[in-house]
């Protein structure tokens, strides 16, 4: 195959303990560490490995986000992507518009394989890959834990509730990746310097002339209901007693 | 009246319990009239089971050879062709529904509401975000169908005293062959299914090895419980991937959940919050799992767990 497109979303870092703002308008993001969505990082690692095996010639990282997302695209370039495109938006974006934007770039670039994370760890929606494949009328293989190229087909192992499902998809296709596909590489300092010279194009969302899609509007954020404080028992006899008291044995 | 089309989940022969939980969610919509669609290679048995679910108006049976082990790309266009006239199209937030429903939504040109945990109004829902660190109330746009997945751990299955009519539906749409399911390697054991088990015993990295994890299996066998694991235990290779509980694994709501040697990272806790009673066994009294546990015991799991298993004889 020729080109692989990888989607990168800028999200609150995995290790941050997210807090809801007191006025319920969202979550605290001031001064909070932002990173590439961890699943997207796995998607990028996979694309780089495919290219390093000589099975693809170019890896393009694309983000649909605000200007700040250039940081995450630069990190993607430092990991080894060849070039980057930022589809620039103001504020938030809905998954359908995101899928349409990524698809428009995919078509313009004649991409053969699209690799995305299976979900973003901020909105936990898990929609973009499936929507993109639907609009493209092409295969989707979600929650991938292994990928193997075989000519114009990819064999994908999917992590599903019942176990592992093996599917064959014809290219071009959209694949969303799960945790255990690989371990993303660390970025080295010289690579960060090199990445500064790689191309990063900015494309305003309006330039893609996409149809309007009304978003699912977030109205109020609240912290989750807390569970009542529990008890600590001293020994197994105490545990069995407490379980019996609740009628659980 | 609010017309709901609900997509049944099944394995080709039996109806998945997630479906009855989706029905429970749909009944919370004012004036809901709920039709259940069974898309299968041979649908009779599954449709008959679906027809017993309380509150179901009718069951639509769509038989097609292509619907055996069908990928989302095969099912989605058939669902879209049935969607006309429905105000809501619901599926479960299992890997089946997560894979399928966004494809349906995109073909209908609408955004999707993921993981409904409560219905607050005709177009207003609550859903978890940030691994359950926040709950957001969302408003779906009016004037277009609401496509949604239902967080099944938030609902109790409806009863099974109904006998709704089953209608065969003929659907003529182009079905693509660009995606082919080769096989399902099922991790299934004799143990209860993790997502529907009344009791679940789960282990973490502190078990130390596959052999260590046997302690979890032994206790689970004694309790007739399903077996789960933290991401760390799965990554370490002690147990199969499909046992992972949490933000990126399974979301469960058993009556009794026993966490053994699991520290309780927020990504794990979000998968067990709806459990009836949470028991934590951990040697670190500062472990965050104790913040959500109803009953905690601090100590060495390698002593406590065998003793507990024996005590239950």
């Amino acid at each position: 195959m020729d080109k692989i497109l990888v989607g990168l979303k800028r999200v609150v870092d995995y290790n941050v303990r997210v807090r809801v703002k007191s006025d319920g308008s969202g979550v605290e993001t001031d001064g909070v560490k932002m990173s590439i969505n961890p699943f997207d990082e796995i998607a990028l690692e996979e694309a780089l490995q495919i290219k390093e095996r000589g099975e693809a010639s170019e890896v393009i990282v694309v983000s649909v986000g605000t200007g700040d997302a250039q940081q995450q695209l630069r990190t993607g370039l430092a990991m080894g992507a060849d070039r980057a495109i930022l589809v620039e938006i103001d504020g938030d974006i809905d998954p359908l518009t995101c899928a349409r934007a990524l698809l428009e770039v995919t078509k313009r670039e004649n991409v053969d394989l699209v690799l995305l994370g299976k979900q973003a760890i901020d909105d936990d929606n898990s929609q973009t890959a499936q929507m993109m494949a639907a609009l493209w009328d092409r295969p989707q293989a979600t929650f991938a834990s292994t990928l193997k190229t075989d000519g114009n087909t990819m064999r994908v192992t999917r992590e599903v509730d019942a176990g592992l499902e093996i599917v064959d998809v014809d290219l071009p296709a959209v694949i969303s990746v799960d945790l255990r596909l690989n371990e993303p590489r660390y970025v080295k300092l010289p690579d960060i310097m090199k990445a500064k010279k790689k191309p990063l194009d900015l494309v305003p969302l309006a330039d893609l002339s996409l149809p309007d899609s009304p978003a699912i509007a977030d109205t109020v954020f609240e912290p989750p209901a807390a569970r009542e404080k529990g008890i600590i028992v001293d020994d197994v006899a105490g545990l069995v007693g407490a379980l019996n008291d609740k009628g659980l044995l | 009246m609010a017309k709901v089309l609900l997509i049944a989940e099944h394995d080709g022969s039996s109806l998945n319990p997630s479906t009855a939980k989706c029905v429970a969610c749909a009944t919370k919509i004012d004036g809901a009239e709920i039709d259940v669609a069974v898309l299968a290679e041979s649908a009779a048995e599954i449709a008959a089971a679906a027809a017993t679910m309380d509150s179901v108006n009718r069951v639509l049976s769509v038989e097609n050879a292509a619907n055996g082990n069908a990928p989302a790309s095969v099912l989605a266009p058939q669902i879209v062709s049935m969607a006309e006239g429905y105000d809501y199209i619901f599926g479960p937030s299992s890997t089946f529904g997560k894979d399928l429903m966004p494809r349906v939504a995109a073909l209908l040109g609408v955004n999707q509401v993921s993981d409904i945990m409560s219905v607050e109004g005709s177009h207003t829902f609550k859903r978890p975000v940030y691994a359950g660190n926040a709950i957001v109330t969302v408003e779906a746009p009016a004037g277009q169908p609401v496509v949604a997945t239902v967080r099944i751990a938030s609902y109790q299955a409806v009863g099974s005293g109904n006998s709704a009519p089953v209608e065969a539906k003929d659907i003529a749409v182009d079905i693509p062959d660009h995606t082919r399911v080769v096989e399902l390697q099922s991790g299934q054991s004799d143990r209860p299914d993790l997502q529907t088990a009344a009791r679940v015993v789960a282990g973490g990295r502190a078990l130390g090895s596959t052999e260590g994890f046997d302690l979890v299996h032994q206790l689970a066998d004694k309790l007739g419980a399903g077996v789960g694991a933290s991401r760390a235990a799965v990554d370490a290779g002690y147990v199969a991937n499909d046992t992972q509980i949490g933000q990126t694994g399974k979301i469960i709501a058993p009556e009794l959940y026993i966490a053994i040697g699991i520290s309780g990272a927020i990504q794990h806790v979000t998968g067990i919050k709806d459990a009836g009673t949470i028991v934590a066994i951990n040697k670190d009294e500062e472990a965050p799992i104790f913040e959500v546990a109803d009953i905690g015991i601090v100590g060495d799991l390698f002593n406590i767990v065998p003793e507990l298993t024996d005590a239950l004889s």
Side-chain angles (χ1 to χ4, degrees):
Chain A
M1 75 187 84
D2 188 17
K3 296 179 185 175
I4 304 177
L5 182 148
V6 177
L8 298 185
K9 185 175 184 184
R10 173 185 165 94
V11 299
V12 173
D13 186 80
Y14 182 81
N15 290 306
V16 172
R17 182 123 196 192
V18 170
R19 277 174 218 289
V20 175
K21 286 183 183 168
S22 53
D23 65 0
S25 63
V27 302
E28 218 45 87
T29 50
D30 284 354
V32 163
K33 186 183 175 199
M34 303 295 285
S35 300
I36 297 176
N37 178 42
F39 291 100
D40 300 348
E41 213 175 356
I42 294 169
L44 175 54
E45 175 63 35
E46 195 66 16
L48 296 173
Q49 289 184 18
I50 292 170
K51 187 189 164 193
E52 284 159 4
R53 288 200 301 267
E55 294 169 6
S57 54
E58 188 178 34
V59 174
I60 309 168
V61 285
V62 182
S63 190
V64 182
T66 56
D68 293 339
Q70 289 178 69
Q71 289 169 18
Q72 280 64 43
L73 289 171
R74 286 286 170 208
T75 305
L77 293 170
M79 278 178 72
D82 298 291
R83 59 194 172 93
I85 299 169
L86 174 63
V87 178
E88 243 186 319
I89 55 166
D90 304 320
D92 291 333
I93 188 157
D94 60 283
L96 185 57
T97 303
C98 183
R100 283 179 170 142
L102 290 174
L103 180 56
E104 186 57 32
V105 175
T106 294
K107 286 177 172 170
R108 289 183 183 188
E109 295 283 349
N110 270 318
V111 165
D112 306 290
L113 175 64
V114 176
L115 292 176
L116 304 177
K118 75 161 179 177
Q119 74 194 73
I121 61 162
D122 50 5
D123 57 33
D124 283 330
N125 264 323
S126 192
Q127 299 178 13
T128 305
Q130 299 90 310
M131 288 184 157
M132 203 182 154
L135 299 168
W136 201 7
D137 200 11
R138 293 303 307 165
Q140 70 188 44
T142 48
F143 327 135
S145 64
T146 64
L147 294 187
K148 234 179 93 195
T149 317
D150 181 10
N152 210 31
T153 300
M154 292 207 88
R155 176 155 290 194
V156 184
T157 306
R158 303 181 54 228
E159 292 202 18
V160 295
D161 290 339
L164 299 173
E165 186 187 75
I166 319 290
V167 293
D168 284 343
V169 297
D170 295 337
L171 295 176
V174 182
I175 294 174
S176 85
V177 309
D178 215 318
L179 276 179
R180 278 169 281 271
L181 183 60
N182 59 49
E183 284 217 22
R185 65 195 64 189
Y186 286 101
V187 172
K188 298 185 211 77
L189 191 61
D191 297 327
I192 295 173
M193 303 312 289
K194 254 193 271 174
K196 290 184 176 158
K197 297 201 181 83
K198 290 184 180 177
L200 193 167
D201 294 334
L202 302 184
V203 181
L205 181 70
D207 284 9
L208 300 180
S209 313
L210 304 176
D212 269 346
S213 48
I216 308 292
D218 293 338
T219 55
V220 186
F221 288 77
E222 58 192 308
R227 290 182 70 100
E228 266 178 55
K229 184 122 186 75
I231 55 163
I232 296 286
V233 295
D234 294 329
D235 50 23
V236 169
L239 174 54
V240 172
L243 288 172
N244 271 324
D245 288 347
K246 288 174 177 275
L248 286 166
L249 292 179
Chain B
M1 198 175 53
K3 292 193 61 160
V4 183
L5 179 65
L6 197 149
I7 312 306
E9 177 172 9
H10 60 82
D11 61 3
S13 55
S14 53
L15 188 66
N16 189 295
S18 66
T19 309
K21 296 184 179 185
C22 284
V23 174
C25 173
T27 60
K28 303 294 181 193
I29 295 164
D30 272 346
E33 184 186 288
I34 304 164
D35 291 350
V36 176
V38 176
L39 291 85
E41 187 170 6
S42 88
E45 257 179 77
I46 307 160
T52 67
M53 292 189 293
D54 289 345
S55 306
V56 169
N57 172 53
R58 56 180 183 154
V59 176
L60 307 172
S61 147
V62 184
E63 289 196 325
N64 188 324
N67 288 347
N69 273 331
S73 56
V74 167
L75 300 177
Q78 299 178 67
I79 293 164
V80 168
S81 80
M82 302 168 81
E84 177 78 42
Y86 286 99
D87 306 297
Y88 301 85
I89 303 166
F90 277 14
S93 182
S94 54
T95 52
F96 164 77
K98 283 184 183 173
D99 184 47
L100 173 62
M101 300 311 288
R103 191 154 183 132
V104 172
L107 292 177
L108 291 169
V110 303
N111 272 298
Q112 174 187 285
V113 181
S114 293
D115 304 316
I116 292 178
M117 56 191 293
S118 84
V119 175
E120 303 285 315
S122 70
H123 287 70
T124 312
F125 309 93
K126 285 190 179 184
R127 60 176 303 263
V129 290
Y130 292 96
N133 273 313
I135 308 299
V136 63
T137 303
V138 298
E139 189 80 30
Q144 53 175 237
V146 177
V147 177
T149 59
V150 174
R151 184 177 182 275
I152 51 183
S154 298
Y155 292 92
Q156 300 283 334
V158 292
S160 54
N162 196 3
S163 51
V166 177
E167 295 172 22
K169 266 266 212 232
D170 256 339
I171 290 179
V173 291
D174 283 341
I175 289 176
D177 62 356
H178 51 48
T179 310
R180 299 167 295 278
V181 176
V182 180
E183 62 169 326
L184 177 67
Q185 296 171 349
S186 173
Q188 240 166 34
S189 62
D190 300 337
R191 293 201 178 82
D193 173 63
L194 194 51
Q195 278 159 309
T196 51
R199 296 165 167 182
V200 170
V201 181
R205 186 158 42 196
L207 272 306
S209 64
T210 309
E211 296 70 42
F213 212 89
D214 280 343
L215 291 178
V216 174
H217 291 135
Q218 286 156 11
L219 178 57
D221 287 344
K222 194 58 74 70
L223 287 166
V227 169
S230 69
R231 176 186 170 185
V234 174
D235 283 352
Y238 304 161
V239 270
N241 298 356
D242 57 16
T243 58
Q244 185 177 320
I245 294 167
Q247 180 189 22
T248 63
K250 289 178 179 168
I251 310 287
I252 61 171
E255 286 164 30
L256 173 62
Y257 178 73
I258 302 181
I260 300 171
I262 291 178
S263 64
I266 183 74
Q267 289 83 2
H268 179 78
V269 168
T270 194
I272 59 167
K273 268 186 193 157
D274 295 289
T277 297
I278 297 174
V279 175
I281 301 171
N282 205 296
K283 69 169 188 243
D284 175 11
E285 61 183 315
E286 302 291 324
I289 191 74
F290 288 118
E291 290 167 26
V292 294
D294 300 288
I295 308 170
I297 178 164
V298 181
D300 185 347
L301 68 90
F302 292 101
N303 296 328
I304 293 169
V305 179
E307 203 187 318
L308 176 60
T309 306
D310 282 346
L312 298 173
S313 300

